[in-house]
Amino acid sequence: EADIYQTPRYLVIGTGKKITLECSQTMGHDKMYWYQQDPGMELHLIHYSYGVNSTEKGDLSSESTVSRIRTEHFPLTLESARPSHTSQYLCASSRRPNNSPLHFGNGTRLTVT
Amino acid sequence: GENVEQHPSTLSVQEGDSAVIKCTYSDSASNYFPWYKQELGKRPQLIIDIRSNVGEKKDQRIAVTLNKTAKHFSLHITETQPEDSAVYFCAASGNFGNEKLTFGTGTRLTIIP
């Protein structure tokens, strides 16, 4: 079934560790996004990509980095996790035409101890 | 950049009554206004969207109205049911280089049986 998949669903990790949150979509979408959201709160765009080898920073400053080597894959990496990174990270994708609806993944709930 | 304000932050209505959530935006160039519903512990899902060339759109019990002059848009849910309980987010985006979605702060809607 065409969808957008995020792994892991939950992650508890110690301060200073390097982590990668995975996001893959099988919908053939060109555009992909990462949002940060505290539970039930506002969604903040931290990274986006309009295609392979294209990445941009979003409106919320983030210490994370992203890569887009394949159309379907958009991983997010934190080189050194800190407690302030504790949050939910939502990946999303959309078709190429402007203002197409976003399809979200189920999210990764990250806790840094 | 775009700024989206959403009111109220919480809303409780009796089952069967109507619910209205309002949003205002700042960028007059914005032309796409989606609404997302996020149930507890789940991903946000698009429920309805409207583009600037129409003033109203309806889908069964859900309707959205847009006033471009006043730069505000509203979500109307009629005959509310318990499964309507969720957090609702409005969003706005423009075109031609400014198509990133900016989300409102969310409204937690509770339907009282």
Side-chain angles (χ1 to χ4, degrees):
Chain A
E1 179 183 341
D3 204 347
I4 180 165
Y5 301 93
Q6 289 187 245
T7 57
R9 186 76 173 89
Y10 301 93
L11 179 61
V12 180
I13 201 162
T15 297
K17 299 291 186 181
K18 177 180 178 179
I19 60 169
T20 297
L21 308 185
E22 299 289 347
C23 176
S24 294
Q25 51 94 6
T26 57
M27 295 181 285
H29 288 172
D30 288 305
K31 300 177 181 177
M32 297 189 75
Y33 311 81
W34 277 103
Y35 285 87
Q36 185 175 338
Q37 182 191 35
D38 292 326
M41 304 295 284
E42 188 175 359
L43 291 98
H44 296 283
L45 180 67
I46 52 175
H47 296 284
Y48 62 101
S49 167
Y50 287 165
V52 171
N53 294 326
S54 156
T55 61
E56 301 286 346
K57 288 190 179 294
D59 301 320
L60 181 68
S61 176
S62 174
E63 292 164 350
S64 58
T65 59
V66 293
S67 63
R68 190 90 184 276
I69 298 172
R70 303 197 319 263
T71 300
E72 62 272 19
H73 193 214
F74 192 40
L76 181 145
T77 299
L78 273 168
E79 290 293 333
S80 180
R82 293 208 298 268
S84 60
H85 296 138
T86 295
S87 189
Q88 174 165 250
Y89 293 84
L90 287 163
C91 183
S93 69
S94 68
R95 293 183 295 117
R96 176 162 290 280
N98 288 343
N99 297 325
S100 296
L102 292 181
H103 297 265
F104 285 90
N106 281 319
T108 292
R109 193 176 297 278
L110 173 65
T111 302
V112 183
T113 61
Chain B
E2 176 67 277
N3 182 50
V4 177
E5 295 189 358
Q6 183 171 348
H7 300 281
S9 57
T10 61
L11 179 61
S12 296
V13 301
Q14 290 290 143
E15 182 177 353
D17 288 349
S18 296
V20 180
I21 302 170
K22 299 181 179 181
C23 289
T24 60
Y25 60 98
S26 61
D27 188 350
S28 57
S30 289
N31 60 4
Y32 176 62
F33 308 93
W35 286 87
Y36 286 83
K37 174 184 180 181
Q38 187 176 27
E39 297 177 50
L40 187 64
K42 296 193 175 180
R43 66 178 95 180
Q45 292 196 309
L46 178 75
I47 55 171
I48 195 166
D49 57 10
I50 192 168
R51 298 178 193 275
S52 59
N53 56 346
V54 297
E56 183 175 359
K57 185 176 178 180
K58 193 172 182 180
D59 182 4
Q60 299 183 355
R61 297 186 297 108
I62 294 173
V64 57
T65 58
L66 171 65
N67 183 328
K68 284 220 75 179
T69 302
K71 290 190 284 188
H72 68 69
F73 56 112
S74 300
L75 178 72
H76 304 254
I77 306 174
T78 59
E79 300 172 20
T80 53
Q81 301 168 5
E83 54 264 36
D84 294 329
S85 293
V87 179
Y88 292 80
F89 294 95
C90 64
S93 75
N95 218 339
F96 304 117
N98 187 30
E99 60 168 294
K100 294 178 295 177
L101 273 178
T102 299
F103 282 86
T105 49
T107 297
R108 185 175 300 277
L109 175 63
T110 302
I111 307 302
I112 304 166

